[in-house]
Amino acid sequence: MAYQIDLKTFTDNRGHLTVIEKVIPFDVKRIFYIYGVDGSTRGGHRHHQTIQAAICLKGSCAIYNQDGINERVFELNSPDQCLILEPKDWHQMFDFSEDAILMVLASEYFDLTDYIYEPYIIHDRLRELAASQ
């Protein structure tokens, strides 16, 4: 299941300095960022191998996560918070503020065959059954 980590931040009267060093549980091979989102939902996948670290550098967004057993919505609204997404974590990013910049560090280079777009169907059926009772 996805989890959040605090990034070491130094603050004084000049501002803040946040450091990403020895806290990401993988070697970074790819960095991308998402901004200017028009209200759309992004993501909607999980991976075979890729681990990701998501940091909302500016503004805010939410990330829905499910791993086949658990589900949770993480609110990202501070550049000193980092969400680690394991390969099994099916996720969707949504509710971006107008000024949001979401940076993602990835353990693998882009490879379309690493993506799994289907959410966990068994989990969804169990949730539907529980709701109908």
Side-chain angles (χ1 to χ4, degrees):
M1 181 67 170
Y3 60 95
Q4 285 184 290
I5 59 173
D6 296 324
L7 299 175
K8 190 170 190 171
T9 299
F10 302 92
T11 302
D12 63 24
N13 60 352
R14 300 170 295 168
H16 310 284
L17 173 82
T18 298
V19 179
I20 302 173
E21 182 178 65
K22 299 180 183 176
V23 295
I24 304 298
F26 56 84
D27 291 332
V28 177
K29 292 185 180 173
R30 182 173 181 236
I31 300 171
F32 62 91
Y33 43 96
I34 301 168
Y35 58 99
V37 179
D38 64 359
S40 298
T41 298
R42 303 294 306 249
H45 61 267
R46 55 190 161 112
H47 294 274
H48 291 287
Q49 295 183 24
T50 302
I51 306 168
Q52 298 180 343
I55 304 162
C56 197
L57 298 175
K58 184 175 182 184
S60 63
C61 70
I63 300 181
Y64 168 77
N65 181 77
Q66 66 162 308
D67 66 2
I69 299 169
N70 301 298
E71 66 181 338
R72 180 173 170 190
V73 174
F74 294 90
E75 300 290 334
L76 296 181
N77 57 17
S78 178
D80 64 357
Q81 292 291 305
C82 177
L83 180 64
I84 304 296
L85 294 160
E86 299 290 340
K88 66 181 178 183
D89 293 326
W90 191 88
H91 58 280
Q92 289 182 308
M93 294 88 78
F94 65 99
D95 200 19
F96 287 85
S97 64
E98 192 172 298
D99 62 341
I101 302 173
L102 179 65
M103 180 177 71
V104 181
L105 313 175
S107 67
E108 305 299 325
Y109 299 116
F110 176 78
D111 178 358
L112 190 57
T113 65
D114 186 49
Y115 286 68
I116 303 168
Y117 291 98
E118 297 81 26
Y120 291 97
I121 296 170
I122 294 171
H123 181 69
D124 289 343
R125 288 182 190 223
L126 291 174
R127 189 171 17 148
E128 289 171 12
L129 287 172
S132 68
Q133 295 180 359

